[in-house]
Amino acid sequence: MNITVAGKKTEVEEGISIAKLIEVVKVENPLYVTVSINEEFVDSKAFEETVLKENDFVEFLYFMGGGSF
Amino acid sequence: MAFTNEQLERYSRHIILQEVGAKGQKKLLNAKVLIIGAGGLGAPVAMYLAAAGVGTIGIVDADEVDLSNLQRQIIHATKDVGKPKVTSAKETMNEMNPDVTVNTYHTFVTSENILDLVKEYDFVIDGTDNFPAKFLINDACVMAKKPFSHAGIIRFKGQLMTYVPGEGPCYRCVFQSPPPKDAVPTCKQAGVIGAMGGVIGSLQALEALKYILGVGELLVGKLLTYDALKMEFRTVKLPNHGKGCAVCSDAPTITELIDYELTECDGK
């Protein structure tokens, strides 16, 4: 099925979970990533059981420090 | 307050803008912005806000200028090494624009002092590099109902978002709590390309200026991310504010400020 990950059309296996998608797209810091599906946040405790559907929009948001020092 | 001839000339490129005009320039001269962190992000923010004639600018930073700062912190010069960053920043800003009153706070922000600091200002800039400070700034601004611009930079990437009370999600809506020590690299550990602070800091300055002027659309409910290697800007829409957020929802579970542990790798 096709979903959109970080703005890019991506083909993934049917019924893929957020946890699996994090592996497949090699998310940089998987333990500390914030995920939204169709502009709703997903609780990080629910990454295993949250399953994606055709045409879902997924965003990964990352902690970023930097600035001073 | 009437403009002097010198001010009319200094701000002529602003005054000619339909979105600014004489009225907007007066708003800027009457505005107060607090910049927390006089480093990679705070340097360009402070310089552009000073140049723009933001009348009162506060700068908070406990550090002294280090030679390794100068690759990106363009408000400081080689002669400033060893000086408090707030002193060096103030000198540069006053040289650029004597119209601006610069208040310096040579200290870290803590749960003890931050509310007293932010309450004096109209808009706050988060130019810090550590997560305890970023969460403290967020929570204090939510509690004090102050708008602020959050930003982060690392390697060839940067991101920013703007919080306006009651209008969109806060930083904690997106990132619930600070990551554990060493879980997410800092600039010192991972490096940062010098000009990144200029790009993201200038965008923070623009958000502050737009907020003061009341023009355009702010990055409220949106996270702007920038990848310099791919030369890609993306605006990611954020979910609505408040839904279960520990600090900005209608039933917050965090009602007092928290001093998270500042880890040694964050320190400098």
Side-chain angles (χ1 to χ4, degrees):
Chain A
M1 65 176 188
N2 286 304
I3 59 173
T4 304
V5 181
K8 291 200 172 68
K9 285 266 181 229
T10 309
E11 204 180 328
V12 292
E13 63 182 74
E14 206 74 36
I16 192 172
S17 68
I18 290 289
K20 184 76 184 161
L21 182 69
I22 284 173
E23 279 176 37
V24 171
V25 302
K26 298 190 178 72
V27 163
E28 255 176 60
N29 214 330
L31 287 177
Y32 305 103
V33 69
T34 294
V35 179
S36 77
I37 306 175
N38 306 327
E39 293 172 23
E40 289 292 334
F41 288 126
V42 183
D43 190 330
S44 58
K45 292 183 209 82
F47 284 178
E48 293 284 348
E49 69 242 32
T50 304
V51 170
L52 293 162
K53 308 182 301 298
E54 180 90 28
N55 299 325
D56 274 348
F57 283 82
V58 183
E59 294 287 353
F60 294 113
L61 308 171
Y62 301 97
F63 272 112
M64 213 177 272
S68 192
F69 307 112
Chain B
M1 176 188 72
F3 289 111
T4 62
N5 285 341
E6 195 188 313
Q7 284 178 319
L8 284 173
E9 191 173 342
R10 179 184 287 272
Y11 303 119
S12 59
R13 303 300 191 278
H14 269 170
I15 292 169
I16 205 168
L17 286 170
Q18 202 189 344
E19 292 82 355
V20 184
K23 215 172 145 189
Q25 189 59 51
K26 279 189 183 153
K27 282 187 193 170
L28 295 177
L29 286 163
N30 289 323
K32 297 177 170 189
V33 176
L34 181 68
I35 302 168
I36 305 177
L41 291 165
V45 177
M47 291 168 84
Y48 272 116
L49 294 186
V54 170
T56 307
I57 301 174
I59 310 187
V60 192
D61 200 303
D63 246 354
E64 282 74 43
V65 179
D66 188 270
L67 192 57
S68 68
N69 299 149
L70 301 182
Q71 157 261 17
R72 64 198 178 285
Q73 300 179 15
I74 56 170
I75 203 165
H76 313 300
T78 309
K79 67 173 168 52
D80 300 317
V81 169
K83 238 186 232 178
K85 284 188 180 176
V86 291
T87 308
S88 160
K90 181 180 171 142
E91 286 169 4
T92 305
M93 291 156 78
N94 282 342
E95 274 171 38
M96 289 173 75
N97 189 349
D99 278 353
V100 179
T101 302
V102 181
N103 301 324
T104 59
Y105 308 95
H106 189 209
T107 176
F108 289 107
V109 284
T110 67
S111 64
E112 298 289 314
N113 65 13
I114 192 166
L115 286 172
D116 284 335
L117 286 168
V118 302
K119 76 171 190 221
E120 300 296 325
Y121 293 87
D122 308 316
F123 193 94
V124 177
I125 301 283
D126 168 12
T128 65
D129 96 325
N130 66 83
F131 297 106
K134 289 190 182 301
F135 278 87
L136 183 68
I137 293 166
N138 179 74
D139 295 355
C141 287
V142 169
M143 289 176 192
K145 296 191 167 58
K146 293 287 179 185
F148 80 99
S149 165
H150 155 82
I153 52 174
I154 197 151
R155 301 190 182 103
F156 285 83
K157 289 182 179 173
Q159 65 185 27
L160 72 157
M161 63 177 274
T162 302
Y163 168 76
V164 175
E167 288 186 20
C170 75
Y171 181 62
R172 206 181 265 281
C173 291
V174 187
F175 303 104
Q176 284 77 24
S177 58
K181 183 181 172 178
D182 288 344
V184 177
T186 62
C187 282
K188 194 193 177 195
Q189 295 163 310
V192 62
I193 191 79
M196 184 56 70
V199 174
I200 303 297
S202 299
L203 293 174
Q204 287 190 286
L206 274 168
E207 288 290 275
L209 295 171
K210 281 159 52 195
Y211 176 82
I212 295 161
L213 294 167
V215 300
E217 284 175 35
L218 297 168
L219 280 171
V220 173
K222 290 178 258 185
L223 181 79
L224 178 64
T225 67
Y226 173 51
D227 182 331
L229 290 179
K230 293 184 185 157
M231 216 51 179
E232 253 177 25
F233 280 96
R234 281 194 74 227
T235 306
V236 179
K237 236 182 135 210
L238 299 172
N240 282 338
H241 69 100
K243 197 177 170 186
C245 175
V247 69
C248 81
S249 67
D250 293 334
T253 52
I254 295 171
T255 52
E256 283 186 17
L257 295 172
I258 306 163
D259 290 306
Y260 291 102
E261 187 195 354
L262 187 69
T263 61
E264 68 240 18
C265 66
D266 288 331
K268 194 150 186 224

